[in-house]
Amino acid sequence: MIEKAINNYLKQQNQTKLSPKAVLFDMDGVLFDSMKYHARAWQETSEKHHLISTPEDFYLFEGRTGESTVNELYLRTFDRVATEEEKQTMYKEKAALFNSYNDGSVIAGAQDVVQEVIHNELQCLVVTGSGQHSLFDRLDDAFPECFNRELMVTAYDVKIGKPHPEPYLMGLDKAGVAANEAIVVENAPMGVESAVAAGIFTVAVNTGPLPDSVLLEAGAHLLYPDMQSLALDLPRLLNTIKKTNS
Ligand code: MG
């Protein structure tokens, strides 16, 4: 299974080897158990503005910028893009609701995954579409000395956002590694698309309500049901990668 995934990656990306030096982690739904609060905050804001949406939509939109989410809702409801004011108002309201709901809890198994990555002497970086300072500040408490704030890619760095490869290309640049020297851990279909388009070996963890097929169709090279399963399998995954290269 793992060997097949590596071979598929090498063939797809026209690479001769995968030799990881860094792991790029998405944040919401991978490190923090925050997606349910994002979805709830978006859904309530959307209803308030009479926009058409379901809570599941926000799991499908996860990773894209707040502005592009608001635009998508206006397009499907009113057949036009949102004005600058509408975008700002909605995003502000959504962020306030999110901050009132979010409890900062960590995804089960995430700390074990990060510790195993550090134990293997690989760099740990965060690449997120989020602009929530409340969660950036929580990273240091939940994962002490694991992530360097200077090396994070956030909503404040990107112009286009996921599913475009831009955020993960920026992550590679910040880590100082090539695409075949990194692994991405993602929970969202648009995040997976972004990472694969950046040429990176992409491990999906399905921590939300969407079917596995959505993550596989987005291009995930490997799929785990949650971060605990990834934590358990990570030593074997990293060893298999090492063996494949020797
Ligand atoms: Mg995510």
Side-chain angles (χ1 to χ4, degrees), residues 26-30 35 62-63 162 186-188:
D26 170 55
M27 187 173 75
D28 292 289
V30 167
M35 264 316 293
E62 188 191 349
K162 301 169 186 176
E186 257 291 350
N187 71 305

Side-chain angles (χ1 to χ4, degrees), residues 81-100:
V81 293
T83 64
E84 207 45 51
E85 199 192 326
E86 286 163 340
K87 285 191 264 190
Q88 297 301 331
T89 305
M90 238 185 112
Y91 191 69
K92 226 187 261 169
E93 289 172 2
K94 180 262 164 179
L97 281 180
F98 171 77
N99 282 321
S100 73

Side-chain angles (χ1 to χ4, degrees), residues 25-32 34-35 38 59 62-63 127-129 162 168 185-189 191 205 207:
F25 290 94
D26 170 55
M27 187 173 75
D28 292 289
V30 167
L31 300 176
F32 289 119
S34 45
M35 264 316 293
H38 279 294
Y59 288 91
E62 188 191 349
V127 176
T128 176
K162 301 169 186 176
Y168 280 110
V185 183
E186 257 291 350
N187 71 305
V205 282
T207 60

Side-chain angles (χ1 to χ4, degrees), residues 28 32-48 55 58-59 90-106 132 134-135 138:
D28 292 289
F32 289 119
D33 194 7
S34 45
M35 264 316 293
K36 56 191 177 213
Y37 304 124
H38 279 294
R40 181 176 163 197
W42 271 120
Q43 179 62 13
E44 288 175 5
T45 314
S46 172
E47 279 169 10
K48 187 184 159 201
F58 300 105
Y59 288 91
M90 238 185 112
Y91 191 69
K92 226 187 261 169
E93 289 172 2
K94 180 262 164 179
L97 281 180
F98 171 77
N99 282 321
S100 73
Y101 299 145
N102 183 38
D103 57 9
S105 58
V106 171
Q132 297 304 322
S134 56
L135 282 184
R138 275 280 292 143

